[in-house]
Structure formats: C-alpha cells, structure tokens
Amino acid sequence: MTGTTPLIRLTGITKTYGRGQATFQALKGIDLAIETGDFVAIMGPSGSGKSTAMNVLGCLDTPTSGRYEFKGVRVEALSRNQRALLRRRYLGFVFQGFNLLARTTALENVELPLIYRGERAGTRHAAARAALEQVGLKGWEHHTPAELSGGQQQRVAIARAIVTRPAVLLADEPTGNLDTRTSEEIMNLIGTFNREQGITVLMVTHEPDMAAYARRIVRFLDGRVDSDRRSVEAA
Amino acid sequence: MLWNTLLLALRAIRRNLMRSFLTVLGIVIGVAAVITMVTLGNGATRSVSDQISGMGSNLLMVLPGQRFGPGAEAAPAFKSADLDAVRTQISGIERVAPVANKTATAVFQASNWSTVITGSNSDYFPAGNWVLAAGRSFSETEERAGKAVCVIGDTVREKLFGRQNPVGSEIRIKQFACEVIGLLKPKGQSAMGQDQDDIVVMPLRTVQRRLTGSQDITRLIVSVKNGASIDAVKQQLILLLRERRNIGENQDDDFRVMDTRQIAETLTSTTRILTMLLGAVAAVSLLVGGIGIMNIMLVSVTERTREIGIRLAIGALEREVLLQFLIEAVVLSSLGGLIGIAIATAASIALAGAMNVPYMFDAGINLLSFLFSAAIGVIFGYFPARRAAGLNPIDALRHE
C-alpha cells in the first residue's frame, strides 16, 4: 500500500468484559489498518467480536489494551471529552436500530450533530435539507420517525451521519432490520457517499450480499481477524 | 454552547408535551395548595389580631375561674360590691364596665328574636369600642334605678324593626317592656365568628333584678388611664380581688386578669395552629406532586438513556447533555412554580374575599414552595440523566 500513515491503525487491541472469574475476552489482539476512502465490510459469526471492534473504532467504547491511532493520534490516551470531540469532528454513525430521536422531525434529527458543532441556524437548516435531499427524502423533512418506513428512517439516519461530512462512516448492521429491496437501496446510497464524497466506510454485516458492496472484507472469528481480502466483484 | 443547549432543551420539552405537562401540573398543584392555605391562614390570624387590637391596648378583662371550657372549676361570680370596690380603691383606671348576661327573647309587635341581654353601664360602650348610631346611652339615674331602657345592636334592630327607626319604641322582654333609647353602629362578625351586633344592652341593675335575679357579675372590663401602667393596675386588681374573695396565702387565684395582648395571644395561637395544619396538609400535596414527577422521570429513564446514548454518539459532550437536562428540569419546574404562584394568588384573593379575611402576600412561603418545587424538578430530572451521561455511549445506546 501507500507509504503514508493510514487513516486508522489498530495494534494489538483487546477488549475484556467482566471482572474476576466471569471475564469474557471479546477481542484477543486485533491488528488492522484502514486507508482513507476505503469501503470495508467486517464480517463474522455472532460473538466473533465484530461489533465490539466497531464500537472501539467508533470511540463508543474503550479497548482494554492495545494501540488505536486515528490520523496518527493515539485515541486510547484521549479523555472522554476528547473522544466526544473526535466523534463530532470525524465520525458518522448508522445503526441497525436507526436510533433516531422519537417524536422529532427528520429535519431536526439531521440538524442535531450540527447543533453540537455550533453551526448557525441558517447554515444548519440548509445543510440538513440538502442531506435529506441527497438520501431521497425531499418533502419528508417534517415527518417524525413514527411516520416513516424502516427504509426511510435509515435514510434519515444516513443523512444525519453524513451531514457533517465526516471522514469515516461507521455502519453497524445498517440493513439488519430491512427487507432485501430496501437493503439494496440503502447499500447503494452508502456506496455513493463512499465513491462520490470519499467518505471512508466501515460496515459490520453478516449478510454476504451486503458485504459484496465493499471493496475489502475483513472476517472475524473468536476475537481475532480470520481473513482480510479485497473483494473481487466490487473493486 | 448555552444558546444551542437551550434550544435542545426547549425542543425536548416540546417533543414530550405530555410528560412536560404532567411534570408542570404536579408542581402547580403542590405549590398552589401550599401557598393558598398558608396565605388564607395568615389572613385569618391577622383578622383575629386586628379585631383584638381594635379593642384598644389599655383594656383588662377580669374573669372568675382560671380556665375556660370543660373542666373549669366553678368559681364564684363577682358581685356588685366588687365593682364598687374596684372603682373606688384602684388608682389609674379610667372606666369599669360590669357584664352580666342572660339569653332572652325580645318581642316587638309581631316580630320576636332570641338574643343575649347584657347588663352593664354606660362605660361598656367606649370600653368595647361601640359607637352609637342613633339615640343615647344610659344616664346615671337610669343605671342607679335600674330603669327598663336598652341600647340595641344592628342585628336586633333588623330582626325586630326592619326599616323602622327603633329609638323611642318599646320592646318586650319576658314580662317587662323596655324603651329603646339607642342604636349601636354595626361591628360585624367577631374573630370567633359570632355576630357581635346580636346584642341588647341594659343597665346592670335592670338585668340583675328582672332577668338573672342575682347580684352576679360574670366579668369586669377595666380600661386603664392613659399613662398609667397596665401591669400596676393588674397587680392592684389581683391583690384587691384576692382579699375580697378570701384567698389564702398559699392558694391560687380563682379568677383571671387578662390584658388584650394575652387575649390576642390566646386567639391567634388557635388560628396559627390551624394555619400550620392546613399548610402541612398542603405540603403533603406538594410532596405527592413531587413523587408524581419522580415517577414520570423514572419511567422515561430508559427512553432518555437511549437518547443520551444517541446524543453522545453523534458528538455531544457529557456536559452539554447534562446542561440540556438541567435546563429542561429548571424550565419545567420553574414554569410549574410560577403558574402555581399565579393560581395561588388568584385563589387566595378570591377566597380571602369570600371568607372575609384580609389577603396577605407572604413572600416567604411563595419563595419556599417555589424553591422546593424547583429542587424536586432538578433532583428528579437531572440526577437520572447524570447517571446516564456518565455511561459509555454504547452502554447508554443499548440500555433496555
């Protein structure tokens, strides 16, 4: 690969849950480097540690040991607040369960990360409307999650994730709650943001069909990286 | 940051309108109840003490026996001779009015009215702050001779005479006819709720001879001269009465000499206890309101914990989330407090008018219940959020 520092580099990351006798080691030493602009699918059976790895990568959880560099910065040494600021500045999240704020309009949901960034109201509205238009929800700005289908809710979540133009989009089973046709639409959307805006995508999935959209597939097994290969079809 | 957080807090309030409404309602009811009760109680206390201070500060009330009410030992009444002794042997007194009471029915033409006949002298009117609306008071001759003349209160006039002028007419009480020589200006209800104007006053001797048939005097009203010491007069009275009633050195008084301050204390302590009781009952409603708020907040903690997880995941700082929840709690509880104060003010003014007691704004209780409600809101709105915001974002997101 290129000689420059990768966007993300994990070295010997472990994560242990519990204390004393009842400990469970979810990650047993992960080494992984991810380049800017890549589209990486993380696969593996349940309990293989793929979601834990994703949470560590997204700074939603802290590793027990190991080294996590983001743009050359040692993330595991950052404080809670610094990690929150890193998420605010560089990361966007899409979850399996959408995780939109209930009883809140699509527009206000998408605006939320911009409010925390301290954007002015005018800029905020314009950016949120543009993001909703990009995910194909023009005209749905004032609907609440309860009034939207699953696919539409996930589109709102994607709009919320990309409205800040993040460096990395982290998607945890983004199509897990959706039917096949809607899943394809969502994957195409994510693929578009990856290709056209150069947003690095990290996606956890257990469906090979969805992983096929990625350029690189990392398989987890029992808390370790089992295989790491470039996808033939999507490259 | 503050402005944006305020925006987020207001959006959260609007988003959960029902929850916000119930929170505010709990505080409104509690605050309004406490303030209304205490304000009305204070008004009642004030009304009692006003009426007593209206009696003048230089009055002494002399009563046989040591206690009122059930269990009071039977102490002999005063006699007419006691009245003369007080009048002649005690220095520093201005007036002495005896009182002997008897309930009787007064009749005028076709109307009759059962009332209290008071036997006294002309000193009774100035000592009791009575003013004549028409006619005159008793003359010394009438008092000495026990003439059948009377001065009537406004209620008696209304019941017997209607719109007619009573002065000069004769009313019949028991077997004798009695000329109405004066009419008293109305005073209204007493502190204890009695109609003070339901009164017929006659010379003491007339009442003793024709109604009670004894020399008994049930109490003495003594007014002290300006500049004379009330305590000195009181001491003289006690010594004189002990001697006249043959009370031995080691025996307790079988009568009481009370000044207006003591009377006021007796009566206002009653209303003050009532105020405290009402306030305590109302405080329970404030507490119940607080528990309701706690309930609402705890029920929504699961949803709110996930919300906190979402906010943390998309880049909110812990302190921003906490500030938002704090603002929400403060806005809701102060809104509830302010509405409660407004309702309490309106209700207190209306009820004070209906109950005929003065409206007295009590800044202390307003502030106290406001702060208490604010504290409830902040404690139950903020502290569950504090726990959630301290979690790892992923744990908050997965909260079930």
Side-chain angles (χ1 to χ4, degrees):
Chain A
M1 298 193 190
T2 54
T4 56
T5 323
L7 177 64
I8 290 171
R9 188 199 292 279
L10 302 184
T11 317
I13 292 286
T14 70
K15 176 72 187 178
T16 309
Y17 291 110
R19 234 176 247 154
Q21 298 269 308
T23 55
F24 169 70
Q25 200 171 16
L27 298 178
K28 297 173 178 169
I30 304 290
D31 299 313
L32 193 65
I34 291 160
E35 302 294 331
T36 305
D38 210 349
F39 189 154
V40 182
I42 299 173
M43 297 192 72
S46 309
S48 60
K50 59 184 192 299
S51 281
T52 308
M54 190 69 159
N55 294 334
V56 169
L57 283 165
C59 303
L60 296 174
D61 209 349
T62 47
T64 307
S65 70
R67 185 169 163 155
Y68 174 10
E69 286 158 282
F70 187 94
K71 287 191 177 238
V73 175
R74 295 283 295 270
V75 173
E76 76 277 4
L78 297 180
S79 70
R80 252 179 97 78
N81 268 339
Q82 287 170 321
R83 271 181 280 132
L85 290 170
L86 189 149
R87 287 195 294 270
R88 177 187 291 190
R89 180 79 187 82
Y90 296 109
L91 306 182
F93 290 91
V94 176
F95 300 96
Q96 180 177 5
F98 318 136
N99 278 335
L100 299 175
L101 291 188
R103 297 181 294 282
T104 304
T105 64
L107 191 68
E108 285 182 1
N109 263 298
V110 176
E111 268 187 313
L112 205 56
L114 298 173
I115 293 179
Y116 287 119
R117 283 190 169 201
E119 303 280 358
R120 293 169 161 279
T123 327
R124 219 163 59 206
H125 289 305
R129 279 175 190 283
L132 281 169
E133 195 177 340
Q134 281 180 295
V135 298
L137 283 181
K138 191 174 164 63
W140 295 85
E141 289 88 350
H142 298 292
H143 288 70
T144 61
E147 299 162 353
L148 298 171
S149 71
Q152 286 173 320
Q153 289 186 53
Q154 198 58 301
R155 285 165 188 267
V156 174
I158 292 172
R160 183 180 65 186
I162 57 98
V163 73
T164 57
R165 305 196 168 277
V168 184
L169 176 68
L170 296 111
D172 191 353
E173 303 264 11
T175 59
N177 285 359
L178 303 174
D179 62 58
T180 316
R181 222 186 101 236
T182 317
S183 297
E184 283 169 5
E185 287 169 15
I186 293 295
M187 288 315 302
N188 281 324
L189 203 53
I190 293 175
T192 309
F193 286 115
N194 172 249
R195 280 193 307 278
E196 293 178 3
Q197 298 191 9
I199 297 175
T200 308
V201 177
L202 297 179
M203 177 179 73
V204 164
T205 184
H206 60 266
E207 297 169 85
D209 290 348
M210 301 306 135
Y213 286 84
R215 281 194 290 276
R216 178 182 172 194
I217 298 176
V218 178
R219 283 181 189 279
F220 274 59
L221 189 65
D222 197 22
R224 291 196 170 83
V225 175
D226 186 48
S227 73
D228 186 348
R229 63 181 175 80
R230 291 269 139 197
S231 163
V232 193
E233 304 99 301
Chain B
M1 171 175 151
L2 188 68
W3 184 248
N4 280 335
T5 312
L6 187 66
L7 173 79
L8 291 172
L10 294 180
R11 278 186 179 181
I13 289 170
R14 195 193 58 201
R15 190 153 69 85
N16 302 298
L17 220 51
M18 190 46 127
R19 186 168 74 204
S20 309
F21 171 74
L22 289 173
T23 309
V24 170
L25 189 70
I27 292 176
V28 165
I29 292 173
V31 167
V34 169
I35 297 176
T36 308
M37 290 301 161
V38 172
T39 305
L40 288 178
N42 285 344
T45 310
R46 174 62 167 274
S47 148
V48 169
S49 60
D50 276 357
Q51 288 193 17
I52 288 160
S53 62
M55 286 164 54
S57 58
N58 60 342
L59 281 188
L60 291 172
M61 202 70 76
V62 188
L63 302 151
Q66 264 298 315
R67 289 189 292 150
F68 283 129
E73 71 275 35
F78 304 116
K79 302 289 175 193
S80 297
D82 293 323
L83 173 67
D84 297 329
V86 166
R87 191 173 274 149
T88 52
Q89 296 178 29
I90 291 178
S91 60
I93 61 174
E94 191 174 18
R95 297 189 180 90
V96 184
V99 173
N101 289 322
K102 178 83 180 172
T103 304
T105 303
V107 181
F108 176 71
Q109 290 171 353
S111 320
N112 64 78
W113 180 246
S114 176
T115 182
V116 177
I117 315 290
T118 298
S120 191
N121 56 21
S122 56
D123 282 348
Y124 181 78
F125 305 110
N129 260 351
W130 287 104
V131 178
L132 283 164
R136 60 179 179 84
S137 174
F138 315 123
S139 69
E140 216 174 305
T141 330
E142 284 164 343
E143 283 173 16
R144 225 178 303 126
K147 279 266 180 67
V149 289
C150 60
V151 174
I152 63 173
D154 201 56
T155 303
V156 176
R157 174 200 60 77
E158 191 196 322
K159 296 292 179 188
L160 293 183
F161 294 93
R163 285 156 186 245
Q164 270 178 272
N165 178 13
V167 177
S169 307
E170 283 199 335
I171 58 174
R172 200 161 51 77
I173 290 158
K174 288 209 166 167
Q175 300 85 1
F176 69 95
C178 174
E179 188 194 348
V180 178
I181 57 166
L183 172 68
L184 296 169
K185 271 201 179 154
K187 266 186 163 181
Q189 281 195 348
S190 76
M192 306 308 272
Q194 293 155 327
D195 180 3
Q196 299 181 96
D197 300 320
D198 190 2
I199 188 178
V200 172
V201 189
M202 290 182 194
L204 175 68
R205 185 156 290 181
T206 318
V207 170
Q208 285 176 332
R209 270 191 202 152
R210 305 205 186 206
L211 289 171
T212 64
S214 74
Q215 291 280 300
D216 289 358
I217 293 171
T218 46
R219 65 192 149 107
L220 294 173
I221 303 168
V222 178
S223 77
V224 178
K225 263 187 197 153
N226 263 344
S229 154
I230 294 179
D231 285 335
V233 172
K234 212 166 151 180
Q235 280 313 308
Q236 291 183 65
L237 273 170
I238 291 170
L239 285 174
L240 176 69
L241 289 172
R242 280 180 74 89
E243 188 191 318
R244 292 187 63 82
R245 291 162 81 86
N246 294 319
I247 298 169
E249 290 255 329
N250 303 320
Q251 278 176 281
D252 288 332
D253 297 348
D254 66 348
F255 60 91
R256 284 195 301 171
V257 181
M258 295 204 296
D259 56 38
T260 31
R261 206 189 66 241
Q262 286 171 305
I263 299 169
E265 272 168 12
T266 311
L267 293 179
T268 52
S269 73
T270 313
T271 50
R272 210 171 288 134
I273 288 166
L274 272 174
T275 307
M276 278 165 60
L277 272 175
L278 287 173
V281 169
V284 169
S285 71
L286 187 56
L287 199 67
V288 170
I291 292 170
I293 292 164
M294 179 170 78
N295 210 351
I296 295 162
M297 294 294 186
L298 287 180
V299 164
S300 64
V301 109
T302 298
E303 187 194 313
R304 302 231 83 177
T305 303
R306 295 191 47 151
E307 177 189 333
I308 288 168
I310 295 171
R311 291 180 186 279
L312 292 173
I314 63 177
L317 301 179
E318 189 177 333
R319 64 165 184 270
E320 288 171 325
V321 172
L322 288 180
L323 186 63
Q324 178 203 327
F325 276 67
L326 186 65
I327 292 174
E328 259 182 68
V330 167
V331 165
L332 287 180
S333 43
S334 12
L335 188 69
L338 290 177
I339 295 176
I341 287 175
I343 290 178
T345 306
S348 306
I349 290 174
L351 287 171
M355 289 166 59
N356 205 14
V357 299
Y359 168 72
M360 283 172 53
F361 178 77
D362 184 336
I365 197 69
N366 277 276
L367 193 68
L368 195 72
S369 21
F370 183 83
L371 288 180
F372 184 75
S373 68
I376 286 178
V378 169
I379 288 167
F380 296 127
Y382 177 72
F383 283 92
R386 209 174 98 140
R387 229 189 89 254
L391 295 173
N392 256 340
I394 196 66
D395 294 326
L397 270 173
R398 284 186 181 152
H399 189 85
E400 292 300 332

